[in-house]
């Protein structure tokens, strides 16, 4: 199932996206209340082309993995990181497809980081890796936008990765997906920047959920970003960045300089 969140003439709703997404016959079927557990439907639906896709979930928190692909560690200067490194992005950084990423005035460079994201399906704490899948609603695509100058200046990552619009998510959540070996690619203005596979993660999704849930309770709708591969690079005013993950689709956002 592809779970989405839309804005229609009737308001905002969770939906199931059915049919080929780029086909005019694709429809968004309204889900009653929320998408967790076994969704029930209201009976209302809209052609997908007639609604606007929003970020597919409103997370209470976004937990991110740093340095989870060896080649990305090398391109960022190397180092030995035997344990997962986690940090948080505020939920106010979340935007949906087609919404502009706003580059802060004076921040340079600001990099894209294409990632597979995990959406939590139920409250959980101290989850063994072997049981991680029981707590997952599904998977979506994320862009961990990062102001590198602020990251270097501050010595930690909160400001650099926490700006409004710095966590594009979407276009929907896929619930029936094997995440172990998916093709991931990032393009800027149609030019390939990142290309890797999720099988190259240092810490797999089970290990990530075990590590994170040992620290904090995870709630339904929380999002975990699983790390970015090599090829991160700058975004400029007027760019368009697209991240494609096999089995999910493509998340596309324009880029603008804030205050223009």
């Amino acid at each position: 199932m592809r779970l989405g969140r839309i804005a229609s003439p009737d308001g905002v709703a969770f939906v199931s996206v059915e049919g080929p997404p780029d086909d005019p016959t694709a429809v968004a079927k309204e889900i009653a209340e929320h998408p967790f557990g076994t969704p029930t439907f209201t009976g209302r639906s809209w052609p997908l082309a007639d609604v606007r896709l929003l970020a597919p979930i409103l997370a209470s928190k976004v937990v991110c993995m740093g340095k989870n692909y060896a080649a990305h560690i090398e391109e960022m200067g190397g180092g030995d990181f035997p344990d997962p490194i986690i940090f948080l992005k505020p939920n106010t950084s979340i935007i949906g497809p087609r919404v502009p990423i706003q580059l802060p005035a004076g921040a340079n460079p600001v990099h894209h980081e294409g990632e597979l994201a995990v959406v939590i399906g139920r409250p959980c704490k101290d989850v063994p890796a072997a049981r991680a899948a029981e707590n997952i609603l599904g998977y979506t695509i994320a862009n961990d936008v990062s102001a590198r100058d602020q990251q270097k200046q501050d010595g930690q990552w909160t400001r650099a990765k926490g700006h409004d619009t710095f966590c594009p998510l979407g276009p929907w959540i896929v619930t029936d997906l094997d995440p172990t070996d998916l093709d991931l690619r990032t393009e800027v203005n149609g030019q390939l920047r990142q290309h890797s596979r999720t099988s190259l993660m240092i810490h797999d999704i089970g290990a990530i959920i075990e590590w994170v849930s040992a620290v904090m309770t995870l709630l339904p709708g929380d999002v975990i970003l699983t790390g970015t591969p090599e090829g991160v690079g700058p975004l400029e005013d007027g760019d368009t960045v697209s991240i494609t993950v096999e089995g999910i689709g493509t998340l596309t956002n324009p880029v603008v300089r804030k205050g223009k």
Side-chain angles (χ1 to χ4, degrees):
M1 181 180 289
R2 293 194 301 268
L3 299 172
R5 191 168 147 268
I6 63 161
S8 76
D10 300 312
V12 174
F14 287 108
V15 296
S16 172
V17 177
E18 302 190 5
D22 297 325
D23 191 296
T25 63
V27 297
K29 294 186 176 181
E30 186 178 39
I31 292 172
E33 297 181 352
H34 60 73
F36 305 106
T38 303
T40 58
F41 294 89
T42 66
R44 296 201 302 176
S45 64
W46 302 268
L48 188 60
D50 293 349
V51 299
R52 179 165 59 93
L53 285 168
L54 306 174
I57 202 71
L58 294 175
S60 73
K61 55 186 173 289
V62 181
V63 187
C64 307
M65 281 287 299
K67 304 183 184 302
N68 200 29
Y69 287 80
H72 177 57
I73 293 174
E74 289 304 313
E75 76 175 349
M76 299 303 288
D80 183 25
F81 306 95
D83 292 325
I85 297 173
I86 60 173
F87 59 94
L88 298 174
K89 293 172 86 84
N91 56 13
T92 48
S93 66
I94 295 173
I95 56 174
R98 305 291 177 182
V99 177
I101 297 166
Q102 298 184 27
L103 307 178
N108 188 43
V110 176
H111 281 187
H112 60 78
E113 294 191 8
E115 310 197 10
L116 175 70
V118 181
V119 182
I120 297 299
R122 64 185 189 183
C124 58
K125 181 74 169 76
D126 297 321
V127 178
R131 300 190 64 181
E134 299 172 19
N135 300 281
I136 294 172
L137 175 65
Y139 303 89
T140 190
I141 303 169
N143 190 349
D144 176 21
V145 183
S146 306
R148 296 296 185 209
D149 57 336
Q150 295 178 359
Q151 191 174 356
K152 182 178 180 180
Q153 178 182 340
D154 296 352
Q156 49 87 14
W157 302 351
T158 302
R159 178 169 69 123
K161 292 173 174 282
H163 288 277
D164 290 356
T165 77
F166 270 26
C167 189
L169 289 178
W172 37 65
I173 300 162
V174 176
T175 61
D176 50 349
L177 184 69
D178 179 353
T180 55
D181 186 28
L182 302 175
D183 186 83
L184 186 158
R185 61 182 66 215
T186 302
E187 296 182 351
V188 177
N189 304 327
Q191 296 185 339
L192 185 65
R193 291 274 189 90
Q194 296 181 275
H195 188 200
S196 189
R197 301 194 71 84
T198 58
S199 56
L200 296 176
M201 289 182 190
I202 297 170
H203 307 286
D204 65 17
I205 288 169
I208 292 169
I209 290 178
E210 181 175 294
W211 183 269
V212 173
S213 68
V215 178
M216 65 191 78
T217 299
L218 295 169
L219 301 176
D222 282 351
V223 176
I224 301 177
L225 276 55
T226 59
T228 197
E230 74 278 11
V232 300
L235 295 172
E236 304 290 349
D237 182 42
D239 284 347
T240 298
V241 55
S242 296
I243 302 164
T244 301
V245 175
E246 180 183 0
I248 301 177
T250 300
L251 170 66
T252 297
N253 296 89
V255 180
V256 300
R257 177 65 66 177
K258 190 175 180 180
K260 283 193 63 176

